[in-house]
Amino acid sequence: MTRIVYVNGEYLPEDQAKVSVFDRGFLFADGVYEVTSVLDGKLIDFEGHAKRLARSLNELDMRAPCDSDRLLEIHRELIARNALVDGMIYLQITRGAPNDRDFAYPARETEPTLVLFTQSKPGLAENPMAKTGMKVISIEDQRWGRRDIKTVQLLYPSMGKMMAKAAGCDDAWMVEDGAVTEGTSNNAYIIKDGTIITRNIGTEILHGITRAAVLRFAREAQMKVEERAFTVAEAQAADEAFITSASTFVMPVVELDGKPIGTGKPGPVAARLREVYLEESRKAAMH
Ligand code: PMP
């Protein structure tokens, strides 16, 4: 089955979908994105993603191509047209394609580019990595200073992923001024004496939609949460560690820079949070 994607008002087979060479997303990484998970054909936390998207656009003074009701309609249409059961919907908005290359923003009337496509991942919630855990390395955080805006400027995170692969690991945690910021495409957490510790939100990290939900569930379950910076040494001495993101949910981390964390196996707190997150998210998912 050929994948049907959405580009600027049209649903097209993926090989017929085109974006201009002058698109500012292509030339300047002048674009924002969101990734929303789909489980059993239903959208996980669509509202959270729509809100963050609106915030990203606002922070960059970028025009929204349409309102969030219309975005929801497109998400639903893509799920239907691609018979998507488990996977993700990727959405990208750029500042459009004026007919030339210029650092200055184009006129406000320039139509933004809107692209959405599905990624099918059968059994997304049964990722075997949840049983084995991930190995991560630490790398210097060399990204720009507005990581709270979800831009398509993802070259350094891609490089980080490759550094992790070269080291035989699954991902990299980025470190700035001696403290962990986040993973290449996820938020980072440690657990010490029952307390969940994760970086406080600010401009240094992306305000993860999964992060917000997981912390809410943890607090509802009377677990202690500390939102603060932590070091690599602190993480290596922790009882457990894990990451969160829309497509991995809650995923245990069992090794950092070659040192086992806790028992070196996925721990009970991360496992419980994963279970609760998946259960609650499925309940609240939108058709
Ligand atoms: N931090 C970064 C740098 C990310 O790229 C992502 C995933 N897009 C996250 C955190 C997790 O955010 P979310 O839970 O909204 O997927």
Side-chain angles (χ1 to χ4, degrees), residues 33 52 143 150 182 184-187 206 208-210 245-246:
Y33 76 108
R52 183 173 61 192
R143 296 172 300 162
K150 198 165 169 61
E182 57 190 334
T184 59
S185 58
N186 46 69
N187 290 114
L206 185 75
I209 300 307
T210 319
S245 77

Side-chain angles (χ1 to χ4, degrees), residues 34-38 42-54 66-77 79 89-91 116 209-210 246 277 281 284-287:
E34 282 296 333
V35 177
T36 306
S37 270
V38 173
K42 291 192 265 183
L43 293 157
I44 303 296
D45 213 338
F46 175 81
E47 253 177 50
H49 290 282
K51 267 194 199 142
R52 183 173 61 192
L53 178 68
C66 57
D67 64 17
S68 77
D69 287 347
R70 173 76 187 122
L71 289 180
L72 177 58
E73 226 175 270
I74 302 169
H75 278 74
R76 285 173 166 154
E77 187 67 29
I79 292 173
I89 298 191
Y90 176 88
L91 171 156
L116 288 93
I209 300 307
T210 319
Y277 175 79
S281 302
M286 275 170 101
H287 247 309

Side-chain angles (χ1 to χ4, degrees), residues 97-168:
N99 285 325
D100 205 356
R101 179 176 183 272
D102 186 350
F103 279 77
Y105 293 173
R108 187 90 190 156
E109 304 79 71
T110 308
E111 282 300 322
T113 301
L114 174 61
V115 169
L116 288 93
F117 56 81
T118 54
Q119 291 184 286
S120 177
K121 306 270 176 198
L124 180 64
E126 284 85 48
N127 189 334
M129 205 176 247
K131 293 270 185 292
T132 56
M134 302 168 56
K135 293 179 181 178
V136 302
I137 56 167
S138 65
I139 60 171
E140 195 190 331
D141 197 334
Q142 294 188 353
R143 296 172 300 162
W144 78 323
R146 288 303 307 275
R147 302 161 196 155
D148 55 315
I149 308 173
K150 198 165 169 61
T151 74
V152 297
Q153 209 188 142
L154 296 173
L155 183 54
Y156 190 70
S158 285
M159 289 167 69
K161 241 330 181 212
M162 295 313 290
M163 289 183 238
K165 274 192 179 205

Side-chain angles (χ1 to χ4, degrees), residues 263-279:
T263 61
K265 297 222 164 64
V269 180
R272 178 78 194 123
L273 286 171
R274 179 177 174 87
E275 212 176 270
V276 173
Y277 175 79
L278 281 169
E279 195 181 305

